[in-house]
Amino acid sequence: MKPFKQENKKRRILKKMYLGEFAMLGFEVSCKTNIADFDRYDVFVDEFIDYIDSLGLCFGGGGLELFEGFICASERYQDVTEEQQAQVVAWLQARDEVTDVIASELVDANYF
């Protein structure tokens, strides 16, 4: 996607397009799991979503053997912080059913 020029846009337009100071940062995360049945998968996903919610974040994604998706802030015009990113990665690494956790750098959630 072609980057948008911001110099010639008014603040109102930047806000509507989530550009500049209104960009929302998030990150991609992926990990391998050794979950074989859907009951354990449901428990894992429920616990993951509860943890993400407690940090004020939201998640879109899934997968059984390769669990991956995108994490961003729940509130409009908020960014995921590096501290929150580290907390999510640490939570995943602490799980017995998870291996090989990979997280991207913080990127613009609307234009990555």
Side-chain angles (χ1 to χ4, degrees), residues 19-84:
L19 294 172
E21 66 184 286
F22 302 103
M24 296 170 45
L25 299 180
F27 67 98
E28 291 180 279
V29 65
S30 75
C31 59
K32 294 180 183 175
T33 69
N34 59 14
I35 301 171
D37 63 79
F38 287 109
D39 291 333
R40 280 186 60 211
Y41 177 74
D42 286 341
V43 170
F44 170 74
V45 170
D46 287 344
E47 291 174 356
F48 181 69
I49 296 302
D50 287 344
Y51 182 71
I52 293 295
D53 281 344
S54 73
L55 296 175
L57 304 175
C58 60
F59 174 77
L64 190 58
E65 293 175 359
L66 182 61
F67 185 75
E68 59 186 353
F70 192 83
I71 296 177
C72 61
S74 297
E75 295 294 320
R76 192 172 185 184
Y77 304 121
Q78 297 293 315
D79 294 330
V80 174
T81 65
E82 289 180 0
E83 180 183 337
Q84 289 171 319

Side-chain angles (χ1 to χ4, degrees), residues 71-101:
I71 296 177
C72 61
S74 297
E75 295 294 320
R76 192 172 185 184
Y77 304 121
Q78 297 293 315
D79 294 330
V80 174
T81 65
E82 289 180 0
E83 180 183 337
Q84 289 171 319
Q85 181 183 26
Q87 289 173 327
V88 170
V89 170
W91 188 90
L92 287 169
Q93 289 173 337
R95 301 291 296 208
D96 292 334
E97 62 267 81
V98 173
T99 59
D100 300 327
V101 178

